[in-house]
Amino acid sequence: MSKVFVLDTNKQPLNPIHPGRARMLLSKGKAAVFRRYPFTLILKQEVLNPQIEPLRVKIDPGAKTTGLAFVNDNTGEVVWVAELQHRGFQIRNALTSRRQQRRSRRNRKTRYRQARFLNRTRPKRWLPPSLNSRVANILTWVKRLSALCQVAAISQELVRFDTQKMENAEIRGIGYQQGTLGSYEIREFLLEKWNRTCTYCGAKNTPLEIEHIQPRSKGGSNRISNLCLACTPCNQKKGNQDIKDFLRGQPDLLKGILTQAQRPLADAAAVNATRWNLYENLKETGLPVEVGTGGRTKYNRTLQGLKKTHYWDAACVGASTPEQLITSGVKPLLIVAKGHGTRQQCRTDKWGFPIRYCSRSKFHKGFQTGDIVKAVVTSGKKIGIYVGRVATRATGSFNISTSDGLVQGISHKYCAPIHKKDGYAYTS
């Protein structure tokens, strides 16, 4: 388990402590729980002249998931790690759906609105909402964590994917038209795209080789859409066969591979578009910001012998990574961005027609949707203890999303709040 954050009675951050010591402080009544996620204690007395060790927050930004880690540069100890799951693609899909419904409604009502162009000036460092949410999530957690411990520096992986070169491996010089694009790592991109498994047999935790879906000897190219990953036996078995011949008896697998191969470079584009915006915002915190490449992160992680995860990648970002990281007992906090609800006055069907009323009251029976609660049900068909994110109703019959699934129809009388809504869901 990761270490526990501690504040004194004046909310001054102290050194994080071992969970065993945290339990001792709670049992002796010397501290109380200040925050459940991330778990933080507050002492019942002031600490004069505390000896605080500065920590470095390290960030491995991603399109879907970002890794966060606190590392002590002096001792090499990894103090706390987390994975932050973004909702950028969900926001993009919601905006697309809303735009389609509005256009359909305007066409149905034969309403014409004259085009407006003079009010479309965008501020400096503007990003689309789906991309801005990723940056905002990371900045939110950097600020939250900075209030819980002494942060001395920030390290950010400033990776760049050359999407043009991924599409056309022969591009060079004036082929870029404008400027010079940075380097890229096709293998790392393919590992993410194909989930680090063999494309043909699904083997995991085995050496993977870059494979041409359409062989070069039969007209295949080096475009990223023609590359996949295969284990050595599958690669040798396929040889220079056409994929349609190789997978003649597996039409479903063939269709899935061809579909996945044509998947757009949305993830790489999202990272490229937000990396400098995030860097500039991190600099505004006033802390020194170190940047590192994806290749340096992988090199550090390989030397440390750590598994490929977002939080271990974060711990290995940058040249400041100690020669030996102390990682024993570290368990990540899994954070999922959920947003802060909706302003819709009614719910609509897929064609944009209203189907039900949306309550304007956020609180019901003292709870609001998004609170994390503990329900101890002592009677009825659902006897048990349930912990999770609650969805409230005016009737007082709530739904609770637990790690085992959704539990419906839990009375508010059985619920006790653990963590108030803050736009995120947690799994420790």
Side-chain angles (χ1 to χ4, degrees), residues 194-402:
W194 297 97
N195 297 319
R196 300 179 181 273
T197 61
C198 175
T199 305
Y200 302 120
C201 69
K204 296 182 178 180
N205 301 321
T206 185
L208 299 174
E209 302 171 351
I210 296 179
E211 151 75 1
H212 289 81
I213 298 175
Q214 180 71 13
R216 291 292 305 276
S217 60
K218 297 188 177 180
S221 68
N222 286 325
R223 292 169 65 95
I224 199 70
S225 57
N226 191 47
L227 298 178
C228 67
L229 296 172
C231 61
T232 302
C234 287
N235 198 2
Q236 293 177 351
K237 184 178 179 181
K238 179 176 180 292
N240 67 341
Q241 296 182 66
D242 188 284
I243 189 172
K244 295 180 180 178
D245 296 331
F246 180 60
L247 298 177
R248 183 172 299 168
Q250 300 173 280
D252 293 338
L253 178 59
L254 174 62
K255 181 179 178 181
I257 292 174
L258 295 178
T259 301
Q260 177 72 355
Q262 297 299 325
R263 193 184 75 177
L265 305 175
D267 292 357
V271 174
N272 285 352
T274 57
R275 63 194 189 109
W276 283 113
N277 188 287
L278 175 60
Y279 173 73
E280 294 296 334
N281 279 282
L282 290 175
K283 284 179 61 178
E284 292 181 358
T285 61
L287 296 172
V289 181
E290 173 198 44
V291 296
T293 64
R296 183 58 182 260
T297 299
K298 182 176 181 179
Y299 174 76
N300 290 338
R301 177 169 50 81
T302 303
L303 287 180
Q304 302 289 341
L306 300 174
K307 294 182 179 179
K308 168 61 181 176
T309 61
H310 294 284
Y311 54 90
W312 289 140
D313 274 350
C316 297
V317 168
S320 63
T321 304
E323 294 183 2
Q324 184 61 44
L325 290 175
I326 303 175
T327 62
S328 59
V330 178
K331 184 179 179 182
L333 175 65
L334 306 181
I335 309 168
V336 181
K338 292 291 187 180
H340 293 274
T342 177
R343 293 177 293 177
Q344 283 184 317
Q345 295 184 356
C346 63
R347 297 286 188 253
T348 61
D349 58 18
K350 63 180 180 180
W351 295 285
F353 291 99
I355 55 176
R356 64 180 182 273
Y357 172 73
C358 185
S359 174
R360 303 313 302 156
S361 175
K362 291 183 176 292
F363 289 87
H364 299 108
K365 311 298 183 182
F367 298 89
Q368 67 172 325
T369 297
D371 288 349
I372 298 177
V373 302
K374 180 179 182 180
V376 182
V377 182
T378 57
S379 62
K381 297 181 180 180
K382 299 175 181 176
I383 295 178
I385 299 176
Y386 308 99
V387 178
R389 200 166 184 266
V390 69
T392 63
R393 295 193 188 97
T395 60
S397 178
F398 298 164
N399 294 343
I400 301 178
S401 299
T402 69

Side-chain angles (χ1 to χ4, degrees), residues 112-150:
Y112 175 74
R113 185 187 70 188
Q114 189 174 3
R116 297 174 294 182
F117 297 101
L118 298 180
N119 62 345
R120 296 178 186 270
T121 301
R122 292 171 176 170
K124 185 180 180 181
R125 289 193 293 185
W126 178 90
L127 285 175
S130 58
L131 298 181
N132 189 62
S133 70
R134 296 178 173 93
V135 177
N137 288 339
I138 297 173
L139 293 176
T140 294
W141 276 95
V142 169
K143 292 177 181 177
R144 283 188 186 182
L145 297 171
S146 297
L148 302 179
C149 62
Q150 184 68 39

